């Protein structure tokens, strides 16, 4: 069972009990995890600054409260606190416009993450050789993302407990879902195939007065027999071939998913490779945990797990 600790703006720590409902979301495509926690009205929770969640004394979530709502209805009063993890501050704050020359991970961490409470990072210290321009209006998260895409060709991830991964997130461990020994059980499974999301080809105009002669085809075998074409004007829209690759990548990602409802708390699965052993659907491999939603209510603990294909 999880423990929930609130800290008010004066530094007083309050363990939150008598919980009516908790929802925690963690998503590979969303920089900050979030939590929504509902309890009977509590006067001590009116000035919450920081919310922390522990599992077996291990910190799994830390974030600043975004909103505190008190609701009185039908002689029942509740307090609801919503918070985002520390990555939320990187989204909320703009970075100073500047150009860095040959920046390294330590420099990016010290300047754009550490001031907002991010505790550590996973990266090497080989610099990005070249200039990294921080445009006016860019957030600290966008700076981090731009650096990681240029240096490591991957999107960063900041975990709920405040650790930044610059070189991609996940490991070689394979999580198995099913009814066997050592596997994570589930009470429902939904396999959703969406060929309507696939883009078979992107055609590109490479110069201002030319034709759409550039072509990037989707190599996904599931695209066989699918015709769904998109066009981008690379000359006018400041886009590149990488934009076409990203469009196709996103279409593949959104074309298939598996949803599992697993009893208990499984918030440590995000980014891990996965397989499912189901008596009807068979063995489903080449999967990765992409989204988690933990719910605690009167019905107990449930973790909704979304799996997507790891390769196409």
């Amino acid at each position: 069972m999880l423990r929930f600790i609130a800290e008010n703006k004066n530094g007083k720590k309050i363990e939150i009990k008598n919980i009516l409902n908790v929802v925690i979301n963690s998503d590979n495509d969303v920089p900050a995890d979030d939590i929504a926690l509902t309890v009977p009205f509590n006067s001590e929770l009116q000035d919450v600054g920081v919310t922390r969640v522990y599992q077996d004394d291990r910190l799994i979530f830390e974030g600043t409260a975004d909103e505190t709502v008190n609701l009185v209805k039908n002689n029942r009063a509740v307090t609801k606190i919503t918070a985002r993890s520390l990555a939320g501050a990187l989204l909320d704050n703009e970075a100073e416009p500047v150009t860095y020359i040959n920046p390294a991970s330590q420099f990016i961490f010290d300047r754009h993450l550490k001031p907002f409470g991010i505790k550590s990072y996973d990266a090497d210290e080989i610099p990005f050789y070249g200039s990294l321009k921080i445009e006016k209006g860019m957030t600290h998260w966008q700076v981090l993302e731009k650096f990681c895409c240029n240096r490591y060709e991957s999107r960063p991830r900041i975990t709920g407990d405040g650790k930044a991964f610059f070189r991609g997130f996940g490991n070689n461990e394979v999580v198995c879902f099913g009814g066997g020994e050592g596997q994570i059980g589930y009470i429902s499974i939904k396999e959703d195939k969406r060929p309507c999301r696939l883009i078979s080809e992107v055609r590109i105009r490479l110069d201002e007065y030319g034709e759409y002669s550039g072509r990037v085809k989707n190599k996904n075998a599931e695209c066989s027999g699918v015709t769904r074409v998109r066009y981008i004007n690379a000359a006018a829209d400041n886009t590149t071939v990488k934009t076409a690759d990203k469009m196709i990548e996103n279409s593949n990602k959104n074309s298939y998913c598996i949803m599992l409802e697993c009893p208990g708390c499984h918030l440590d699965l995000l980014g891990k490779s996965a397989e499912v052993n189901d008596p009807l659907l068979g063995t489903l491999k080449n999967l990765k945990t992409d989204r988690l939603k933990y719910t605690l209510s009167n019905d107990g603990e449930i973790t909704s797990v979304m799996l997507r294909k790891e390769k196409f």
Side-chain angles (χ1 to χ4, degrees):
M1 187 68 71
L2 303 182
R3 288 195 306 121
F4 303 88
I5 306 294
E7 182 177 325
N8 66 23
K9 295 179 180 178
N10 295 321
K12 181 181 178 181
K13 296 180 180 179
I14 306 149
E15 183 165 2
I16 305 175
K17 298 183 178 180
N18 301 322
I19 293 171
L20 300 174
N21 183 265
V22 173
V23 175
I24 302 176
N25 292 295
S26 188
D27 191 321
N28 271 326
D29 291 332
V30 179
D33 294 355
D34 66 81
I35 183 173
L37 188 151
T38 304
V39 297
F41 175 80
N42 190 331
S43 59
E44 290 189 307
L45 299 179
Q46 302 307 304
D47 196 24
V48 172
V50 177
T51 301
R52 297 184 179 91
V53 183
Y54 294 87
Q55 184 176 29
D56 300 327
D57 296 324
R58 179 175 63 89
L59 180 68
I60 63 171
F61 178 93
E62 179 178 0
T64 302
D66 284 332
E67 186 178 25
T68 302
V69 175
N70 295 309
L71 174 65
V72 181
K73 185 176 181 180
N74 297 329
N75 295 320
R76 184 175 181 236
V78 298
T79 298
K80 181 178 180 179
I81 298 170
T82 58
R84 287 174 299 157
S85 60
L86 296 172
L90 275 64
L91 295 166
D92 294 344
N93 289 274
E94 290 186 7
E96 178 185 358
V98 68
T99 298
Y100 299 140
I101 305 299
N102 301 339
S105 298
Q106 180 73 57
F107 176 82
I108 297 296
F109 174 77
D110 288 342
R111 190 172 179 88
H112 296 282
L113 279 70
K114 191 175 181 180
F116 300 100
I118 308 301
K119 299 173 177 60
S120 60
Y121 68 98
D122 176 77
D124 60 38
E125 292 309 322
I126 300 173
F128 166 65
Y129 292 107
S131 61
L132 191 74
K133 187 175 182 181
I134 313 306
E135 306 280 358
K136 185 180 183 304
M138 287 180 64
T139 65
H140 290 274
W141 172 261
Q142 289 173 319
V143 174
L144 173 64
E145 190 172 42
K146 185 174 184 178
F147 172 79
C148 293
C149 288
N150 280 278
R151 172 61 187 86
Y152 300 108
E153 296 185 347
S154 66
R155 293 189 71 238
R157 171 70 186 167
I158 299 177
T159 55
D161 60 347
K163 182 175 181 178
F165 290 82
F166 285 34
R167 298 177 287 187
F169 184 64
N171 52 46
N172 295 325
E173 178 185 355
V174 179
V175 179
C176 296
F177 296 89
E181 184 178 353
Q183 299 181 347
I184 297 174
Y186 53 87
I187 56 177
S188 72
I189 180 171
K190 180 175 78 170
E191 184 183 32
D192 194 351
K193 301 176 182 179
R194 304 172 182 175
C196 64
R197 298 293 186 93
L198 290 170
I199 294 175
S200 59
E201 182 181 53
V202 178
R203 298 178 183 174
I204 309 171
R205 174 189 276 178
L206 298 173
D207 59 76
E208 186 176 356
Y209 301 105
E211 298 181 352
Y212 287 85
S213 56
R215 296 192 175 191
V216 179
K217 293 183 178 292
N218 193 342
K219 298 179 181 179
N220 183 356
E222 298 297 327
C223 257
S224 177
V226 173
T227 301
R228 192 167 289 107
V229 179
R230 298 290 184 269
Y231 291 82
I232 60 174
N233 187 344
D237 300 335
N238 194 30
T239 55
T240 66
V241 173
K242 286 186 177 180
T243 305
D245 290 335
K246 190 64 177 178
M247 291 171 66
I248 288 175
E249 179 186 334
N250 286 336
S251 82
N252 287 335
K253 178 180 178 179
N254 293 324
S255 69
Y256 182 89
C257 72
I258 291 175
M259 293 295 302
L260 299 164
E261 297 288 325
C262 304
C265 178
H266 302 284
L267 287 170
D268 59 344
L269 301 181
L270 194 71
K272 293 183 179 180
S273 298
E275 68 176 51
V276 178
N277 297 302
D278 187 80
L280 292 177
L281 299 178
T283 300
L284 306 171
K285 296 185 177 181
N286 187 30
L287 301 168
K288 191 169 187 175
T289 53
D290 191 61
R291 184 184 303 169
L292 301 170
K293 180 180 179 180
Y294 167 81
T295 304
L296 171 64
S297 66
N298 290 334
D299 296 326
E301 295 179 294
I302 290 288
T303 303
S304 300
V305 182
M306 175 182 281
L307 306 176
R308 295 191 188 273
K309 287 188 177 180
E310 198 164 21
K311 299 176 182 178
F312 295 92

